Amino acid sequence: MTEQELNDPLLILRKQLRFRAWHRGTREADLLLGPFADHFLKTCSDQDVYDFAKLLDVEDPDLWDWVVGKTTPPAGANTLSLKALCAYVMERVR
């Protein structure tokens, strides 16, 4: 890792979020969010990084209900990050 990468707060946040996505506390959530984070965080915008951070603060059951369409997420949570997660999951379920 270069000196510039070590001092880039957004790069550090992306790595922290990737770790958090893989270590949610339940294996099911890890397997849902970990691969998505690996894919999404490489290319998403800065704003999407912050939105994904908020998404990781959502409890697993609520997040699962949003992803499978059981419940509708609140307006503030229905971000591009959540939409991308839903699309990612649905693409792999088919």
Side-chain angles (χ1 to χ4, degrees):
M1 187 174 270
T2 67
E3 183 70 31
Q4 182 181 6
E5 290 173 329
L6 289 172
N7 293 321
D8 182 352
L10 198 56
L11 180 61
I12 292 168
L13 179 58
R14 286 176 194 264
K15 290 179 184 234
Q16 290 171 336
L17 294 176
R18 184 177 171 272
F19 180 87
R20 285 180 56 202
W22 275 105
H23 298 87
R24 294 283 292 186
T26 63
R27 192 65 186 143
E28 294 84 359
D30 295 349
L31 293 173
L32 172 73
L33 292 168
F36 172 72
D38 289 347
H39 169 77
F40 183 71
L41 290 171
K42 289 179 187 175
T43 59
C44 68
S45 72
D46 295 356
Q47 183 58 51
D48 292 334
V49 171
Y50 297 118
D51 290 342
F52 186 66
K54 291 177 191 171
L55 193 62
L56 290 181
D57 289 336
V58 175
E59 296 293 325
D60 290 346
D62 294 331
L63 187 56
W64 178 253
D65 287 349
W66 297 348
V67 169
V68 298
K70 185 176 178 183
T71 60
T72 304
N78 199 12
T79 62
L80 177 63
S81 296
L82 178 59
K83 292 174 186 173
L85 174 61
C86 293
Y88 184 85
V89 170
M90 289 301 124
E91 183 178 300
R92 275 138 189 85
V93 171
R94 294 181 191 174

mmCIF file of all heavy atoms in Angstrom, residues 14-41:
data_model
loop_
_atom_site.group_PDB
_atom_site.id
_atom_site.type_symbol
_atom_site.label_atom_id
_atom_site.label_comp_id
_atom_site.label_asym_id
_atom_site.label_seq_id
_atom_site.Cartn_x
_atom_site.Cartn_y
_atom_site.Cartn_z
ATOM 1 N N ARG A 14 -13.633 2.558 2.596
ATOM 2 C CA ARG A 14 -14.039 1.443 1.733
ATOM 3 C C ARG A 14 -13.547 0.113 2.300
ATOM 4 O O ARG A 14 -14.281 -0.870 2.337
ATOM 5 C CB ARG A 14 -13.494 1.640 0.312
ATOM 6 C CG ARG A 14 -14.194 2.707 -0.495
ATOM 7 C CD ARG A 14 -13.510 2.898 -1.855
ATOM 8 N NE ARG A 14 -13.926 4.095 -2.522
ATOM 9 C CZ ARG A 14 -14.892 4.144 -3.457
ATOM 10 N NH1 ARG A 14 -15.504 3.050 -3.832
ATOM 11 N NH2 ARG A 14 -15.213 5.290 -4.018
ATOM 12 N N LYS A 15 -12.320 0.067 2.770
ATOM 13 C CA LYS A 15 -11.759 -1.163 3.333
ATOM 14 C C LYS A 15 -12.461 -1.536 4.640
ATOM 15 O O LYS A 15 -12.736 -2.713 4.891
ATOM 16 C CB LYS A 15 -10.259 -1.020 3.539
ATOM 17 C CG LYS A 15 -9.508 -0.979 2.223
ATOM 18 C CD LYS A 15 -8.026 -0.807 2.422
ATOM 19 C CE LYS A 15 -7.377 -0.673 1.078
ATOM 20 N NZ LYS A 15 -6.307 -1.588 0.840
ATOM 21 N N GLN A 16 -12.758 -0.540 5.452
ATOM 22 C CA GLN A 16 -13.476 -0.812 6.700
ATOM 23 C C GLN A 16 -14.881 -1.346 6.425
ATOM 24 O O GLN A 16 -15.340 -2.285 7.086
ATOM 25 C CB GLN A 16 -13.572 0.457 7.550
ATOM 26 C CG GLN A 16 -12.259 0.889 8.135
ATOM 27 C CD GLN A 16 -12.330 2.268 8.779
ATOM 28 O OE1 GLN A 16 -13.186 3.092 8.445
ATOM 29 N NE2 GLN A 16 -11.425 2.521 9.706
ATOM 30 N N LEU A 17 -15.548 -0.769 5.435
ATOM 31 C CA LEU A 17 -16.895 -1.219 5.096
ATOM 32 C C LEU A 17 -16.871 -2.638 4.534
ATOM 33 O O LEU A 17 -17.766 -3.442 4.823
ATOM 34 C CB LEU A 17 -17.548 -0.258 4.097
ATOM 35 C CG LEU A 17 -17.835 1.136 4.626
ATOM 36 C CD1 LEU A 17 -18.383 2.022 3.524
ATOM 37 C CD2 LEU A 17 -18.784 1.085 5.814
ATOM 38 N N ARG A 18 -15.880 -2.930 3.739
ATOM 39 C CA ARG A 18 -15.747 -4.286 3.210
ATOM 40 C C ARG A 18 -15.591 -5.275 4.357
ATOM 41 O O ARG A 18 -16.234 -6.321 4.385
ATOM 42 C CB ARG A 18 -14.552 -4.369 2.264
ATOM 43 C CG ARG A 18 -14.416 -5.710 1.611
ATOM 44 C CD ARG A 18 -13.250 -5.727 0.599
ATOM 45 N NE ARG A 18 -13.042 -7.080 0.173
ATOM 46 C CZ ARG A 18 -12.257 -7.950 0.784
ATOM 47 N NH1 ARG A 18 -11.565 -7.590 1.846
ATOM 48 N NH2 ARG A 18 -12.132 -9.184 0.327
ATOM 49 N N PHE A 19 -14.767 -4.945 5.328
ATOM 50 C CA PHE A 19 -14.582 -5.811 6.497
ATOM 51 C C PHE A 19 -15.902 -5.970 7.249
ATOM 52 O O PHE A 19 -16.291 -7.086 7.611
ATOM 53 C CB PHE A 19 -13.500 -5.246 7.421
ATOM 54 C CG PHE A 19 -13.259 -6.096 8.628
ATOM 55 C CD1 PHE A 19 -12.360 -7.146 8.579
ATOM 56 C CD2 PHE A 19 -13.950 -5.863 9.815
ATOM 57 C CE1 PHE A 19 -12.144 -7.947 9.688
ATOM 58 C CE2 PHE A 19 -13.741 -6.665 10.925
ATOM 59 C CZ PHE A 19 -12.837 -7.706 10.876
ATOM 60 N N ARG A 20 -16.588 -4.870 7.498
ATOM 61 C CA ARG A 20 -17.864 -4.924 8.219
ATOM 62 C C ARG A 20 -18.897 -5.757 7.473
ATOM 63 O O ARG A 20 -19.697 -6.465 8.092
ATOM 64 C CB ARG A 20 -18.422 -3.515 8.438
ATOM 65 C CG ARG A 20 -17.709 -2.742 9.529
ATOM 66 C CD ARG A 20 -18.295 -1.363 9.722
ATOM 67 N NE ARG A 20 -19.725 -1.406 9.998
ATOM 68 C CZ ARG A 20 -20.548 -0.372 9.783
ATOM 69 N NH1 ARG A 20 -20.087 0.763 9.305
ATOM 70 N NH2 ARG A 20 -21.827 -0.485 10.054
ATOM 71 N N ALA A 21 -18.900 -5.675 6.156
ATOM 72 C CA ALA A 21 -19.858 -6.443 5.360
ATOM 73 C C ALA A 21 -19.608 -7.947 5.491
ATOM 74 O O ALA A 21 -20.553 -8.731 5.463
ATOM 75 C CB ALA A 21 -19.786 -6.016 3.894
ATOM 76 N N TRP A 22 -18.365 -8.321 5.635
ATOM 77 C CA TRP A 22 -18.023 -9.741 5.770
ATOM 78 C C TRP A 22 -18.134 -10.238 7.211
ATOM 79 O O TRP A 22 -18.026 -11.452 7.447
ATOM 80 C CB TRP A 22 -16.611 -10.002 5.264
ATOM 81 C CG TRP A 22 -16.549 -10.222 3.788
ATOM 82 C CD1 TRP A 22 -16.104 -9.345 2.844
ATOM 83 C CD2 TRP A 22 -16.945 -11.392 3.077
ATOM 84 N NE1 TRP A 22 -16.202 -9.901 1.584
ATOM 85 C CE2 TRP A 22 -16.713 -11.172 1.705
ATOM 86 C CE3 TRP A 22 -17.482 -12.628 3.467
ATOM 87 C CZ2 TRP A 22 -16.992 -12.115 0.722
ATOM 88 C CZ3 TRP A 22 -17.758 -13.573 2.482
ATOM 89 C CH2 TRP A 22 -17.512 -13.306 1.139
ATOM 90 N N HIS A 23 -18.302 -9.354 8.170
ATOM 91 C CA HIS A 23 -18.328 -9.732 9.594
ATOM 92 C C HIS A 23 -19.548 -9.122 10.286
ATOM 93 O O HIS A 23 -19.428 -8.340 11.222
ATOM 94 C CB HIS A 23 -17.041 -9.281 10.283
ATOM 95 C CG HIS A 23 -15.828 -9.923 9.709
ATOM 96 N ND1 HIS A 23 -15.156 -9.400 8.627
ATOM 97 C CD2 HIS A 23 -15.190 -11.066 10.022
ATOM 98 C CE1 HIS A 23 -14.149 -10.180 8.318
ATOM 99 N NE2 HIS A 23 -14.142 -11.205 9.147
ATOM 100 N N ARG A 24 -20.731 -9.514 9.850
ATOM 101 C CA ARG A 24 -21.976 -8.968 10.381
ATOM 102 C C ARG A 24 -22.409 -9.637 11.677
ATOM 103 O O ARG A 24 -23.167 -9.066 12.432
ATOM 104 C CB ARG A 24 -23.096 -9.127 9.347
ATOM 105 C CG ARG A 24 -22.916 -8.324 8.096
ATOM 106 C CD ARG A 24 -23.239 -6.905 8.323
ATOM 107 N NE ARG A 24 -24.666 -6.743 8.584
ATOM 108 C CZ ARG A 24 -25.258 -5.594 8.709
ATOM 109 N NH1 ARG A 24 -24.568 -4.487 8.610
ATOM 110 N NH2 ARG A 24 -26.540 -5.522 8.944
ATOM 111 N N GLY A 25 -22.010 -10.863 11.883
ATOM 112 C CA GLY A 25 -22.451 -11.581 13.075
ATOM 113 C C GLY A 25 -23.241 -12.830 12.741
ATOM 114 O O GLY A 25 -23.278 -13.762 13.523
ATOM 115 N N THR A 26 -23.858 -12.852 11.574
ATOM 116 C CA THR A 26 -24.511 -14.074 11.117
ATOM 117 C C THR A 26 -23.905 -14.449 9.773
ATOM 118 O O THR A 26 -23.583 -13.581 8.959
ATOM 119 C CB THR A 26 -26.032 -13.910 10.948
ATOM 120 O OG1 THR A 26 -26.302 -12.940 9.937
ATOM 121 C CG2 THR A 26 -26.696 -13.480 12.252
ATOM 122 N N ARG A 27 -23.753 -15.729 9.554
ATOM 123 C CA ARG A 27 -23.132 -16.191 8.311
ATOM 124 C C ARG A 27 -23.976 -15.809 7.100
ATOM 125 O O ARG A 27 -23.453 -15.492 6.043
ATOM 126 C CB ARG A 27 -22.926 -17.718 8.383
ATOM 127 C CG ARG A 27 -22.044 -18.235 7.307
ATOM 128 C CD ARG A 27 -20.626 -17.690 7.478
ATOM 129 N NE ARG A 27 -19.811 -18.086 6.355
ATOM 130 C CZ ARG A 27 -18.884 -17.328 5.803
ATOM 131 N NH1 ARG A 27 -18.618 -16.137 6.299
ATOM 132 N NH2 ARG A 27 -18.194 -17.731 4.783
ATOM 133 N N GLU A 28 -25.306 -15.837 7.263
ATOM 134 C CA GLU A 28 -26.196 -15.486 6.162
ATOM 135 C C GLU A 28 -25.965 -14.046 5.708
ATOM 136 O O GLU A 28 -25.885 -13.757 4.519
ATOM 137 C CB GLU A 28 -27.660 -15.683 6.570
ATOM 138 C CG GLU A 28 -28.037 -17.112 6.823
ATOM 139 C CD GLU A 28 -27.695 -17.594 8.234
ATOM 140 O OE1 GLU A 28 -27.128 -16.816 9.029
ATOM 141 O OE2 GLU A 28 -27.987 -18.771 8.530
ATOM 142 N N ALA A 29 -25.878 -13.138 6.683
ATOM 143 C CA ALA A 29 -25.648 -11.734 6.348
ATOM 144 C C ALA A 29 -24.261 -11.539 5.744
ATOM 145 O O ALA A 29 -24.092 -10.756 4.811
ATOM 146 C CB ALA A 29 -25.825 -10.860 7.584
ATOM 147 N N ASP A 30 -23.282 -12.272 6.277
ATOM 148 C CA ASP A 30 -21.927 -12.192 5.723
ATOM 149 C C ASP A 30 -21.925 -12.587 4.248
ATOM 150 O O ASP A 30 -21.302 -11.933 3.417
ATOM 151 C CB ASP A 30 -20.965 -13.125 6.466
ATOM 152 C CG ASP A 30 -20.743 -12.747 7.920
ATOM 153 O OD1 ASP A 30 -21.162 -11.646 8.321
ATOM 154 O OD2 ASP A 30 -20.158 -13.564 8.643
ATOM 155 N N LEU A 31 -22.645 -13.671 3.940
ATOM 156 C CA LEU A 31 -22.664 -14.175 2.566
ATOM 157 C C LEU A 31 -23.508 -13.319 1.633
ATOM 158 O O LEU A 31 -23.331 -13.352 0.422
ATOM 159 C CB LEU A 31 -23.152 -15.623 2.549
ATOM 160 C CG LEU A 31 -22.194 -16.613 3.211
ATOM 161 C CD1 LEU A 31 -22.829 -17.994 3.292
ATOM 162 C CD2 LEU A 31 -20.872 -16.669 2.479
ATOM 163 N N LEU A 32 -24.403 -12.553 2.192
ATOM 164 C CA LEU A 32 -25.195 -11.619 1.397
ATOM 165 C C LEU A 32 -24.402 -10.339 1.127
ATOM 166 O O LEU A 32 -24.274 -9.899 -0.018
ATOM 167 C CB LEU A 32 -26.495 -11.276 2.131
ATOM 168 C CG LEU A 32 -27.360 -10.180 1.536
ATOM 169 C CD1 LEU A 32 -28.048 -10.694 0.281
ATOM 170 C CD2 LEU A 32 -28.393 -9.719 2.548
ATOM 171 N N LEU A 33 -23.862 -9.759 2.174
ATOM 172 C CA LEU A 33 -23.228 -8.444 2.060
ATOM 173 C C LEU A 33 -21.754 -8.478 1.671
ATOM 174 O O LEU A 33 -21.273 -7.557 1.008
ATOM 175 C CB LEU A 33 -23.398 -7.678 3.368
ATOM 176 C CG LEU A 33 -24.830 -7.276 3.664
ATOM 177 C CD1 LEU A 33 -24.968 -6.796 5.099
ATOM 178 C CD2 LEU A 33 -25.279 -6.196 2.698
ATOM 179 N N GLY A 34 -21.040 -9.509 2.066
ATOM 180 C CA GLY A 34 -19.613 -9.573 1.763
ATOM 181 C C GLY A 34 -19.302 -9.560 0.276
ATOM 182 O O GLY A 34 -18.552 -8.689 -0.193
ATOM 183 N N PRO A 35 -19.848 -10.497 -0.487
ATOM 184 C CA PRO A 35 -19.567 -10.494 -1.930
ATOM 185 C C PRO A 35 -20.061 -9.220 -2.616
ATOM 186 O O PRO A 35 -19.408 -8.714 -3.534
ATOM 187 C CB PRO A 35 -20.324 -11.722 -2.445
ATOM 188 C CG PRO A 35 -20.476 -12.606 -1.262
ATOM 189 C CD PRO A 35 -20.605 -11.683 -0.093
ATOM 190 N N PHE A 36 -21.199 -8.713 -2.152
ATOM 191 C CA PHE A 36 -21.687 -7.469 -2.731
ATOM 192 C C PHE A 36 -20.704 -6.337 -2.473
ATOM 193 O O PHE A 36 -20.388 -5.560 -3.378
ATOM 194 C CB PHE A 36 -23.066 -7.103 -2.176
ATOM 195 C CG PHE A 36 -23.519 -5.746 -2.610
ATOM 196 C CD1 PHE A 36 -23.905 -5.517 -3.924
ATOM 197 C CD2 PHE A 36 -23.525 -4.675 -1.729
ATOM 198 C CE1 PHE A 36 -24.301 -4.252 -4.347
ATOM 199 C CE2 PHE A 36 -23.915 -3.419 -2.137
ATOM 200 C CZ PHE A 36 -24.303 -3.205 -3.447
ATOM 201 N N ALA A 37 -20.216 -6.229 -1.256
ATOM 202 C CA ALA A 37 -19.251 -5.174 -0.928
ATOM 203 C C ALA A 37 -17.990 -5.302 -1.769
ATOM 204 O O ALA A 37 -17.459 -4.297 -2.263
ATOM 205 C CB ALA A 37 -18.905 -5.218 0.556
ATOM 206 N N ASP A 38 -17.514 -6.538 -1.955
ATOM 207 C CA ASP A 38 -16.333 -6.755 -2.796
ATOM 208 C C ASP A 38 -16.553 -6.188 -4.196
ATOM 209 O O ASP A 38 -15.663 -5.566 -4.771
ATOM 210 C CB ASP A 38 -16.016 -8.248 -2.914
ATOM 211 C CG ASP A 38 -15.467 -8.844 -1.638
ATOM 212 O OD1 ASP A 38 -15.083 -8.080 -0.725
ATOM 213 O OD2 ASP A 38 -15.424 -10.086 -1.550
ATOM 214 N N HIS A 39 -17.727 -6.417 -4.717
ATOM 215 C CA HIS A 39 -18.078 -5.975 -6.071
ATOM 216 C C HIS A 39 -18.361 -4.466 -6.120
ATOM 217 O O HIS A 39 -17.810 -3.746 -6.948
ATOM 218 C CB HIS A 39 -19.298 -6.774 -6.532
ATOM 219 C CG HIS A 39 -19.938 -6.281 -7.767
ATOM 220 N ND1 HIS A 39 -19.415 -6.506 -9.028
ATOM 221 C CD2 HIS A 39 -21.060 -5.554 -7.965
ATOM 222 C CE1 HIS A 39 -20.191 -5.951 -9.929
ATOM 223 N NE2 HIS A 39 -21.191 -5.365 -9.317
ATOM 224 N N PHE A 40 -19.191 -3.989 -5.237
ATOM 225 C CA PHE A 40 -19.729 -2.628 -5.278
ATOM 226 C C PHE A 40 -18.710 -1.563 -4.883
ATOM 227 O O PHE A 40 -18.606 -0.523 -5.530
ATOM 228 C CB PHE A 40 -20.950 -2.556 -4.363
ATOM 229 C CG PHE A 40 -21.659 -1.238 -4.336
ATOM 230 C CD1 PHE A 40 -22.397 -0.806 -5.425
ATOM 231 C CD2 PHE A 40 -21.625 -0.434 -3.208
ATOM 232 C CE1 PHE A 40 -23.078 0.399 -5.399
ATOM 233 C CE2 PHE A 40 -22.300 0.774 -3.172
ATOM 234 C CZ PHE A 40 -23.023 1.185 -4.269
ATOM 235 N N LEU A 41 -17.964 -1.813 -3.830
ATOM 236 C CA LEU A 41 -17.081 -0.776 -3.292
ATOM 237 C C LEU A 41 -15.891 -0.457 -4.192
ATOM 238 O O LEU A 41 -15.267 0.589 -4.044
ATOM 239 C CB LEU A 41 -16.594 -1.159 -1.893
ATOM 240 C CG LEU A 41 -17.667 -1.119 -0.815
ATOM 241 C CD1 LEU A 41 -17.140 -1.717 0.488
ATOM 242 C CD2 LEU A 41 -18.172 0.307 -0.592
#
